Amino acid sequence: MSSRLETLAHYTHDSIEGYRKARERAESPAIASALARRVEERETTLLRLNDALAEQGHERVASGSALGTFHKIWGSVLAALGQNDNAVINHVEEGEQFLRDRFEEGLKDKELVPREREVIARCLKEISESASFAQQIEPVTR
């Protein structure tokens, strides 16, 4: 039943790519630094998902999803860069909530095997425990 893991891995990959693009376009060093940290956090999550997929004999995910929802969120983040730090923060938080929601939905899947449930729960915990984007920026701006 790796399709749930694959879907979550694609969403996580989308997240990473969105953070990378936003980091490249960020004018604020504080925002660029916070985006770089978020890339590292999500790369860890993707590695965990890909390891679980590989354990089941499936290919690792190396691309984003075909769904446009997450891409719209990242378009909003990119459009806000250079305009207003608060707008960037709000859009990033919206993207993080979208990702958390997908992992929470994944945990509700009754067809998950115990290992998949364990991996999804651990990834959700990592995502949920990440400092808010505003908290990541604050220390850099002082």
Side-chain angles (χ1 to χ4, degrees):
M1 171 40 212
S2 66
S3 66
R4 179 64 71 173
L5 289 178
E6 287 176 20
T7 299
L8 293 172
H10 284 294
Y11 280 133
T12 303
H13 191 280
D14 285 345
S15 175
I16 292 166
E17 289 306 307
Y19 282 122
R20 283 184 180 144
K21 287 177 185 173
R23 182 187 65 210
E24 290 169 8
R25 293 181 54 182
E27 294 174 9
S28 162
I31 288 178
S33 179
L35 289 166
R37 281 192 302 280
R38 194 54 59 94
V39 166
E40 291 173 7
E41 291 169 1
R42 293 302 157 262
E43 285 175 337
T44 299
T45 303
L46 181 59
L47 179 62
R48 190 172 318 287
L49 290 164
N50 273 330
D51 286 349
L53 284 168
E55 286 172 13
Q56 294 179 344
H58 298 280
E59 292 202 22
R60 293 174 176 270
V61 169
S63 64
S65 69
L67 301 174
T69 308
F70 218 6
H71 297 287
K72 289 178 192 173
I73 292 169
W74 281 112
S76 299
V77 171
L78 294 173
L81 286 170
Q83 295 176 7
N84 177 322
D85 287 354
N86 286 332
V88 173
I89 291 166
N90 289 337
H91 289 299
V92 167
E93 295 294 349
E94 185 180 315
E96 284 291 292
Q97 185 61 51
F98 177 86
L99 192 60
R100 275 191 301 275
D101 289 349
R102 300 300 73 79
F103 276 83
E104 287 171 356
E105 288 171 10
L107 280 178
K108 293 176 186 175
D109 188 334
K110 299 204 184 310
E111 294 182 26
L112 292 175
V113 298
R115 174 67 176 137
E116 290 170 326
R117 187 170 305 286
E118 173 191 328
V119 169
I120 292 171
R122 186 163 181 194
C123 291
L124 175 59
K125 184 177 183 207
E126 289 171 0
I127 292 166
S128 297
E129 289 179 348
S130 290
S132 79
F133 194 69
Q135 290 171 330
Q136 286 190 335
I137 292 171
E138 186 179 9
V140 180
T141 57
R142 289 186 181 171

